[in-house]
Amino acid sequence: MKSEVKSAARSAEHSAALRALARGGYVANGVVHALVGGIAVSIGLTGRGDSDQTSALSAVAATAPGAAALWVLTVLLWALGLFHLVDGIAQSRAGTTAGTAKKWGTRLSRWGQGAAFIATGAIAASAALGNRTDGDARAESASRGLLDVPGGPVLLALIGLGLLAGGVVFMVLGALRSFRKRMTLPSGALGRTVRTLGAIGFVAKGASVAVVGVLIGLAGFRDDPHSAGALDSAVQTLRELPGGSAIVVVLGLGLLAYGVFCGFRARYARL
């Protein structure tokens, strides 16, 4: 990667304004996950509601203050996404002795996280503009379009497998508490609390992503777009399992824990 590009990325990465906004982005990400987690708990207890991000954010946008708040969330999430993108280019933490494969692995990880935060910001912006299309409808429509092209079923199955793998990675990060490597945690009870919230939250987040990946993968294997779905379909699928209501409640509580963890991450993340 050209030195001029990396130099510009490092300058942006060290911008105090961008760092402050990126920390705010972690708070915004926590708010989104807390909303989704709360709705998932409600669905587990009552069997009613839509737990995807769009539905959760659309409920916030129902009032003028809520719509304004969504624009704030959008800006913060996009700032966090931008920070991860430039961080991937700058490679400030890769180390001078890191091999090429490791550097590109780190770079792709940063870019993937950046894209995810930007996508979440776009969902918030769409909800602020009054878009009420739910995640399941978007997933089904995208799957249908992909299945209509040559090799589409295989590609859709691979996307599902990729999401499944990503979900498993999240769960492993939570189980091993690997997220601590990019945080400076306090000692004592507060540090233990943050680590516990992170472990629970990462596992819950990973589980939700993995189930979505399974649904999308099945849509590819079956060549059936109706099998695809977003988080709401994942929640409904879990509810159909034996003890499904309890599983959904536990998942929702885990996403709530992840939301709270993101608030602490805003404070203790190494940027």
Side-chain angles (χ1 to χ4, degrees), residues 31-110:
V31 170
V32 173
H33 281 85
L35 286 170
V36 173
I39 294 175
V41 170
S42 176
I43 292 174
L45 294 174
T46 68
R48 297 189 300 273
D50 296 318
S51 58
D52 63 275
Q53 291 177 336
T54 301
S55 298
L57 294 173
S58 294
V60 176
T63 63
L70 287 183
W71 285 116
V72 174
L73 291 180
T74 298
V75 171
L76 294 175
L77 287 165
W78 282 347
L80 180 57
L82 176 61
F83 179 85
H84 277 77
L85 294 179
V86 298
D87 184 43
I89 297 172
Q91 283 288 280
S92 297
R93 301 175 182 82
T96 56
T97 61
T100 301
K102 183 176 180 180
K103 286 183 177 181
W104 274 102
T106 301
R107 180 170 283 140
L108 291 173
S109 173
R110 301 287 188 272

Side-chain angles (χ1 to χ4, degrees), residues 125-136:
S126 178
L129 290 171
N131 190 331
R132 298 294 184 268
T133 303
D134 62 49
D136 285 342

